[in-house]
Amino acid sequence: MNKDKLKQVKEGFDKITSQNSTNWKLVLFWIFSLEVVAAIVEFIWVDKYVEYSVKVPHTPAVELLVGLGVTIFVWFCIYTIIYDDMKNRFRLLIFTLIGLYFVVTNDFSLQFLLNNLNPLHFFELDFSAVLILELFFKLIILYLIYQLIISAKKNKQDIK
């Protein structure tokens, strides 16, 4: 009984994250999304972010760029709602995650996110709930990388 339930959960997860190992773009989307969420979680609860984050001073040029980015984001939201395109929904979600990362971390150089990509960086963390959560995210991302490899092989076979 438990094996059947576990198998159903795995099949449901595979369907959501990779369309059963057939859509490599969807897998990349999930890897990116989980990595950004993991970086935001670590930024909020770990104090070592100061070493990697480069703060940009608030100048009129930066404010103009941020205002332009928000304007483009709002326009893209309205465009996606009007034309109801699934590809644009994923792009909108990616832009939302990037914008959320910028707002929460104030790290426009992406140094903290790049440091978070290092799979061994969490050994620098103290043992806590954040470490367990980071390990959980990394395990899911590792499985998604496996799904990415499988879907790339399937796409390569379909091309031949």
Side-chain angles (χ1 to χ4, degrees), residues 33-96:
S33 300
L34 286 175
E35 196 60 50
V36 169
V37 169
I40 290 172
V41 165
E42 185 176 339
F43 181 85
I44 291 172
W45 280 299
V46 177
D47 293 332
K48 292 187 178 194
Y49 67 87
V50 181
E51 299 171 14
Y52 305 105
S53 180
V54 178
K55 295 209 177 201
V56 177
H58 292 284
T59 62
V62 170
E63 296 296 327
L64 183 67
L65 285 174
V66 170
L68 184 64
V70 169
T71 303
I72 291 170
F73 177 74
V74 169
W75 176 83
F76 197 58
C77 286
I78 293 170
Y79 178 84
T80 303
I81 291 170
I82 291 173
Y83 291 106
D84 197 31
D85 186 14
M86 195 60 160
K87 284 184 181 179
N88 283 336
R89 285 186 186 173
F90 282 116
R91 290 178 185 143
L92 182 63
L93 197 53
I94 288 172
F95 288 141
T96 303

Side-chain angles (χ1 to χ4, degrees), residues 32 36 52-54 56 98 101-102 105-117:
F32 175 76
V36 169
Y52 305 105
S53 180
V54 178
V56 177
I98 292 171
Y101 174 81
F102 287 153
T105 63
N106 203 17
D107 176 33
F108 293 102
S109 66
L110 299 175
Q111 289 298 314
F112 186 72
L113 181 65
L114 291 175
N115 178 58
N116 200 34
L117 288 173

Side-chain angles (χ1 to χ4, degrees), residues 117-132:
L117 288 173
N118 179 4
L120 301 177
H121 86 281
F122 54 84
F123 286 122
E124 299 170 358
L125 301 174
D126 296 330
F127 186 77
S128 64
V130 176
L131 176 66
I132 294 169

